């Protein structure tokens, strides 16, 4: 026994020194946003960490890349602007040790194309200006204006447009950006956020009087926390701790938001934004903990990177404070937690996919095609490739190839255009044959109908049972067209059970057909991913619970309908679904998006007709007047909700009980 224990200890000691498995991958994942599916999906890296520079930094809080690709960093802890080369070498430090050029806790920096450096010198409550050599030129203090008498002038970020007008974000200022010209004159506020209207504020306005409302704290707009300027003169504002809408805005000279207060994907914890030379938007989002890339219209493209407050890992951010893009599309990020500047560069895949997207957005589909083909060669699962190649083939009038790729990308708009052209070409080539085929079918239908009538007249009369069954089946159409008379017939008759079963099976078969054979434009899903049982449950359960709830409620309300009559009536009330679904299904495979009003109208008529059928059925079967019928239907709907809630609670408790005994069984067994 002693030898066995010694051997066991030796084995354990040997296993403890065995090196752990090492994974040769980046310390984060890259994702792309599929707008057609509305999902973030994993993809190979678009950007990869290249460098991290922190030797000369104390507390980097802002960053801008100049037109010369030099990186200008506002180092709040060192009271200086640190200038790095594109390789990360220290070139100079801007900020005198004393005198007018001395900086105090600078929080923002902006460099003009001419190399003039503007600093949001927060500690000194001014804007300090330096030339490209780092020599102090002048300062801008708080402008003289009656609007600013009670306002604190603590600039934290700024940009300067081509006219030399400064747009300054002040600490905790809800009025928006302060505009100031080169002479230091106040030009007004610009681009203020909208105040957030909450349900509580709305209720207060309804309940409280004017005196009480005057004592309430006003709902003020959130202050702008970061600014960026693109090559076209648009000003981008970032608002931290936003609720999504308007967290990033793209403002023109008139202050109009080109993004229209939209909510960006991964736009709930914005730290900073930057724009590359092609107009693509980059942000750092503290909520998703990612670096995100968007197109010119704010549509999400990619997300990469990772954040960890305790990070000691290369390429993982601690507390990022600012982002910038150089002329080679490298991403620079200042990180106050690790006191470093991170540099991320595009991978070969990233270069190809971003070039393809840029040309694609410029409408240069043919020029984008070689890049899309390179992307496809590297990753044939990236849906953006299918959409890009599909549009390229569509531009080349290769509509059949376009149709295939656009379907794979779930791009229904592009698919509709390709399909419309294919349908037009087919109709132009086969119009005579199509008209002849339709005429032939009409003639055959007339001949078959006449032959059937002669055959019916010549044969022996059907038995009473089959005459009754045939009458029950024909009543399906009669009830649909004459609901009051039809349901009175049903109330007085006992429908053959197999007819009820046949109608219900037909309804289920039509439902299955609509699930699997509805046209792609109206049902853009991957057929292999369809959960048919879930679809059928959601279709059948409402009908079953309607029968139960309707019978119970109407019985309590002195309704005359029997349970059998409720089943019969509820089955025949499905007639519009049978008669409308089939032509709708056929048309969904023929029409394009421009003509979808036909399919949508048929669907709307079908559901309205079914609603009328159920109302009339309830009125006739239970012998209610119209108003009483509507009241009882409302109670029935409430009862259906109650039944579902009760079933959900019972299922949850039953599952917990089952899980308890199962876990107990496992404990005893193992």
């Amino acid at each position: 026994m002693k030898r066995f224990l010694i051997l066991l200890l030796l084995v354990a000691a040997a296993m403890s020194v065995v090196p752990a498995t090492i994974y040769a991958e980046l310390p984060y994942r890259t994702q792309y946003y599929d707008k057609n599916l509305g999902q973030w999906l994993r993809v190979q890296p678009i950007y990869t960490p290249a460098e991290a520079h922190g030797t000369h930094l104390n507390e980097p809080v802002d960053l801008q890349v100049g037109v010369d690709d030099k990186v200008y960093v506002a180092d709040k802890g060192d009271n200086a602007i640190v200038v790095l080369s594109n390789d990360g070498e220290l070139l100079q430090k801007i900020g005198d040790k004393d005198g007018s050029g001395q900086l105090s806790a600078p929080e923002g920096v902006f460099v003009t194309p001419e190399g003039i450096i503007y600093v949001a010198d927060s500690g000194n409550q001014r804007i300090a200006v330096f030339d490209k050599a780092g020599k102090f030129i002048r300062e801008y203090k708080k402008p003289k204006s009656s609007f600013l008498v009670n306002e604190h002038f603590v600039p934290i970020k700024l940009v300067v447009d081509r006219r030399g007008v400064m747009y300054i974000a002040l600490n905790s200022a809800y009025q928006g950006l302060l505009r100031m010209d080169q002479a230091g004159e106040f030009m007004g506020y610009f681009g203020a956020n909208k105040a957030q209207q909450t349900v509580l504020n709305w209720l207060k306005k309804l309940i409280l009087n004017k005196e009480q409302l005057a004592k309430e704290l006003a709902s003020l707009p959130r202050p702008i926390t970061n600014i960026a300027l693109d090559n076209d003169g648009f000003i981008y504002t970032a608002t931290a701790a936003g609720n999504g809408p308007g967290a990033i805005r793209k403002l023109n000279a008139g202050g109009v938001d080109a993004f229209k207060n939209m909510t960006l994907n991964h736009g709930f914890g914005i730290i900073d934004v930057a724009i590359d030379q092609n107009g693509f938007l980059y942000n750092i989002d503290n909520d998703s903990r990612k670096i995100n890339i968007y197109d010119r219209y704010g549509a999400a493209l990619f997300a990469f990177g990772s954040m960890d407050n305790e990070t000691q890992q290369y390429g993982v951010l601690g507390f990022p404070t600012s982002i910038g893009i150089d002329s080679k599309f490298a991403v620079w990020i200042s990180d106050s937690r690790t006191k470093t500047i991170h540099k991320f560069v595009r991978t070969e895949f990233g270069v190809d996919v971003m070039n393809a997207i840029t040309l694609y957005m410029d409408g240069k589909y043919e020029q984008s095609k070689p890049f899309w083909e390179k992307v496809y060669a590297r990753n044939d699962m990236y849906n953006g490739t299918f959409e890009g190649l599909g549009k390229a083939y569509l531009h080349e009038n290769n509509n059949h190839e376009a149709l295939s790729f656009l379907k794979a990308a779930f791009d229904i708009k592009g698919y509709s255009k390709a399909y419309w052209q294919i349908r037009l070409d087919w109709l132009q080539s086969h119009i005579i044959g199509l008209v002849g085929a339709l005429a032939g079918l009409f003639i055959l239908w007339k001949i078959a109908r006449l032959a059937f009538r002669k055959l019916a007249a010549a044969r022996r009369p059907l038995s009473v049972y089959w005459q009754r069954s045939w009458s029950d089946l024909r009543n399906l159409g009669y009830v649909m067209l004459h609901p009051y008379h039809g349901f009175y017939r049903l109330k007085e008759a006992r429908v053959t059970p197999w007819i009820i079963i046949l109608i219900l099976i037909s309804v289920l078969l039509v439902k299955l057909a609509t699930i699997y054979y509805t046209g792609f434009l109206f049902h853009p899903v991957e057929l292999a991913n369809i959960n048919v049982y879930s679809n059928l449950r959601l279709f059948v359960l409402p009908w079953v619970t309607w029968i139960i709830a309707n019978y119970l409620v109407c019985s309590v309300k002195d309704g005359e309908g029997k349970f059998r009559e409720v089943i019969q009536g509820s089955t025949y009330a499905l007639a519009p679904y049978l008669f409308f679904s089939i032509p709708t299904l056929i048309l969904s495979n023929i029409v394009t998006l421009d003509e979808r009003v036909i399919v949508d109208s048929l669907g709307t008529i079908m559901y309205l007709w079914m609603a009328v059928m159920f109302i009339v059925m309830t009125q006739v079967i239970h012998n209610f007047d119209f108003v009483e019928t509507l009241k009882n239907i409302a109670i029935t709907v409430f009862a259906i909700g109650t039944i579902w809630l009760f079933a959900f609670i019972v299922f949850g408790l039953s599952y917990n009980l089952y899980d308890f005994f199962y876990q107990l069984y496992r404990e005893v067994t193992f």
Side-chain angles (χ1 to χ4, degrees):
M1 186 65 180
K2 188 181 292 185
R3 291 179 179 177
F4 176 74
L5 289 174
I6 293 171
L7 180 62
L8 190 62
L9 287 171
L10 289 173
V11 171
M15 291 180 66
S16 67
V17 298
V18 173
T21 304
I22 297 175
Y23 297 95
E25 64 177 2
L26 291 172
Y28 54 78
R29 293 182 176 182
T30 300
Q31 299 171 306
Y32 75 93
Y33 186 73
D34 190 320
K35 64 180 181 182
N36 297 317
L37 297 177
Q39 297 177 357
W40 285 97
L41 302 171
R42 192 173 179 184
V43 72
Q44 64 233 68
I46 301 296
Y47 276 89
T48 184
E51 303 168 17
H53 309 284
T55 307
H56 312 288
L57 300 170
N58 191 355
E59 189 184 354
V61 294
D62 196 27
L63 171 152
Q64 192 197 355
V65 181
V67 293
D68 54 1
D69 278 348
K70 292 179 182 178
V71 182
Y72 297 79
V73 183
D75 192 344
K76 183 178 180 180
D78 200 27
N79 298 321
I81 302 300
V82 178
V83 185
L84 305 175
S85 71
N86 200 256
D87 296 323
E89 290 184 34
L90 177 64
L91 297 178
Q92 66 181 131
K93 281 192 176 183
I94 297 173
D96 300 336
K97 292 184 179 180
D98 52 31
S100 301
Q102 185 179 16
L103 300 175
S104 175
E107 294 189 46
V109 60
F110 182 84
V111 185
T112 67
E114 296 76 27
I116 305 301
I117 303 160
Y118 290 76
V119 180
D121 193 5
S122 306
N124 290 323
Q125 299 185 18
R126 65 173 184 169
I127 302 297
V129 185
F130 299 84
D131 64 16
K132 61 175 61 178
K135 182 181 178 181
F136 178 76
I137 301 175
R138 65 169 299 178
E139 67 179 8
Y140 293 95
K141 288 284 191 176
K142 179 180 176 180
K144 293 180 180 180
S145 172
S146 58
F147 293 101
L148 303 175
V149 173
N150 298 319
E151 300 297 331
H152 295 288
F153 188 76
V154 183
I156 54 172
K157 308 292 177 187
L158 81 159
V159 295
V160 183
D161 68 13
R162 296 168 185 169
R163 302 168 298 169
V165 176
M166 290 169 276
Y167 294 78
I168 306 164
L170 301 178
N171 187 32
S172 301
Y174 64 87
Q175 299 95 333
L177 303 176
L178 185 147
R179 291 199 302 171
M180 186 163 53
D181 63 18
Q182 286 293 296
E185 296 294 327
F186 176 63
M187 299 177 65
Y189 286 103
F190 177 85
N193 286 314
K194 294 181 179 180
Q196 296 295 313
Q197 296 300 325
T198 64
V199 176
L200 181 60
N201 289 337
W202 179 73
L203 289 173
K204 286 179 179 178
K205 290 180 180 179
L206 289 178
I207 298 171
L208 302 180
N209 56 37
K210 291 183 179 179
E211 291 75 14
Q212 290 171 324
L213 285 172
K215 296 178 182 179
E216 291 289 321
L217 292 175
S219 179
L220 299 176
R222 289 169 287 129
I224 295 169
T225 53
N226 235 314
I227 331 169
L229 183 70
D230 71 8
N231 294 333
D232 296 325
F234 283 96
I235 294 174
Y236 294 75
T237 64
T239 302
N243 296 319
I248 297 177
R249 294 180 301 150
K250 181 180 180 180
L251 306 175
N252 63 15
V256 178
D257 180 15
F259 288 164
K260 298 180 180 178
N261 209 44
M262 70 184 291
T263 299
L264 274 67
N265 265 294
H266 290 177
F268 291 87
I270 306 301
I271 296 173
D272 192 18
V273 297
I275 305 91
D276 69 18
Q277 57 190 310
N278 290 326
F280 288 82
L281 175 67
Y282 299 68
N283 80 22
I284 313 171
D285 180 52
N286 199 36
D287 182 66
S288 63
R289 307 182 74 79
K290 296 284 185 183
I291 304 160
N292 303 284
I293 308 175
Y294 305 84
D295 68 17
R296 299 160 189 166
Y297 308 105
L301 297 175
F302 301 100
F304 67 96
S306 180
M307 298 184 196
D308 183 358
N309 288 338
E310 306 299 327
T311 181
Q312 295 182 355
Q313 194 170 12
Y314 177 65
V316 177
L317 306 174
F319 188 82
T321 54
S322 187
I323 184 172
I325 315 296
D326 66 23
S327 63
K328 299 175 183 176
F329 303 102
V331 176
W332 294 80
I333 295 176
S334 57
D335 188 343
S336 64
R337 177 79 66 182
T338 58
K339 302 180 181 180
T340 55
I341 303 296
H342 299 267
K343 181 181 180 181
F344 297 82
V345 296
R346 285 184 182 176
T347 61
E348 291 185 10
F349 176 75
V351 171
D352 288 335
V353 74
M354 292 303 292
N355 283 336
I357 293 173
T358 301
L359 292 169
Y360 171 83
M361 294 200 69
D362 289 338
K364 301 175 181 178
Y365 301 122
E366 291 181 359
Q367 294 176 354
S368 71
K369 187 178 176 182
F371 291 102
W372 285 125
E373 289 172 342
K374 288 181 182 179
V375 173
Y376 186 68
R378 289 191 171 97
N379 186 342
D380 59 359
M381 298 298 290
Y382 171 52
N383 277 357
T385 311
F386 298 115
E387 186 171 351
L389 285 174
K391 289 289 178 66
Y393 286 125
L394 189 62
H395 189 70
E396 294 173 354
N397 291 323
N398 189 349
N399 295 300
H400 289 281
E401 284 290 335
L403 201 71
S404 174
F405 278 92
L406 292 169
K407 184 175 183 179
F410 293 93
D411 181 1
I412 59 173
K413 290 184 178 179
Y415 182 94
S416 178
K417 291 178 181 178
Y419 175 72
W420 184 88
Q421 190 61 48
I422 290 171
R423 189 187 65 179
L424 179 63
D425 294 341
W426 188 90
L427 286 173
Q428 288 175 342
S429 303
H430 300 85
I431 186 65
I432 296 175
L434 179 62
V435 172
L438 291 174
L441 286 173
F442 179 76
I443 293 169
L444 285 175
W445 179 73
K446 285 288 189 181
I447 293 172
R449 188 178 179 186
L450 184 61
F452 179 77
R453 285 181 178 177
K454 289 182 178 179
L455 183 64
R459 70 184 179 187
R460 291 185 305 169
L462 295 172
S463 65
V464 175
Y465 175 80
W466 285 107
Q467 285 183 9
R468 179 183 165 193
S469 298
W470 177 246
S471 176
D472 291 340
L473 199 57
R474 291 183 64 185
N475 271 343
L476 190 65
Y478 185 82
V479 168
M480 182 176 164
L481 297 175
H482 309 280
Y484 276 100
H485 290 95
F487 282 118
Y488 273 117
R489 282 188 186 180
L490 289 175
K491 182 176 174 61
E492 297 169 357
R494 181 184 290 270
V495 179
T496 308
W498 72 266
I499 294 293
I500 298 293
I501 295 171
L502 179 63
I503 294 172
L504 293 176
I505 290 174
S506 300
V507 169
L508 288 177
L509 290 175
V510 170
K511 176 62 179 176
L512 285 172
T514 59
I515 292 172
Y516 284 103
Y517 298 109
T518 297
F520 176 76
L521 291 176
F522 299 89
H523 195 213
V525 296
E526 187 67 47
L527 296 182
N529 296 331
I530 292 176
N531 187 336
V532 64
Y533 298 107
S534 177
N535 278 274
L536 289 179
R537 279 198 300 269
L538 292 174
F539 183 73
V540 172
L541 284 178
W543 182 81
V544 172
T545 48
W546 158 267
I547 291 173
I548 297 169
N550 183 269
Y551 175 72
L552 293 175
V553 169
C554 294
S555 296
V556 172
K557 294 290 185 178
D558 297 325
E560 298 178 1
K562 300 176 183 178
F563 189 65
R564 171 183 55 80
E565 293 172 346
V566 174
I567 294 175
Q568 289 178 180
S570 299
T571 301
Y572 276 75
L574 296 173
Y577 185 83
L578 279 175
F579 287 100
F580 278 89
S581 291
I582 295 172
T584 301
L585 178 64
I586 295 171
L587 284 171
S588 71
N589 289 277
I590 297 175
V591 302
T592 64
L593 285 182
D594 294 331
E595 304 145 353
R596 72 172 299 161
V597 65
I598 301 171
V599 174
D600 292 342
S601 298
L602 284 176
T604 302
I605 292 170
M606 178 186 74
Y607 285 112
L608 290 175
W609 205 322
M610 285 176 62
V612 170
M613 294 282 284
F614 277 100
I615 292 171
V616 174
M617 183 275 293
T618 302
Q619 182 179 1
V620 172
I621 296 296
H622 295 290
N623 197 21
F624 292 140
D625 60 40
F626 185 72
V627 175
E628 192 177 10
T629 299
L630 295 180
K631 291 180 180 177
N632 289 329
I633 285 178
I635 298 171
T636 300
V637 172
F638 177 77
I640 290 171
T642 305
I643 291 171
W644 287 359
L645 178 62
F646 179 75
F648 177 77
I649 293 171
V650 170
F651 174 78
L653 293 175
S654 301
Y655 178 79
N656 288 337
L657 187 63
Y658 160 77
D659 187 62
F660 169 75
F661 283 111
Y662 177 70
Q663 296 298 334
L664 185 64
Y665 164 76
R666 290 189 63 187
E667 288 288 335
V668 172
T669 306
F670 299 106

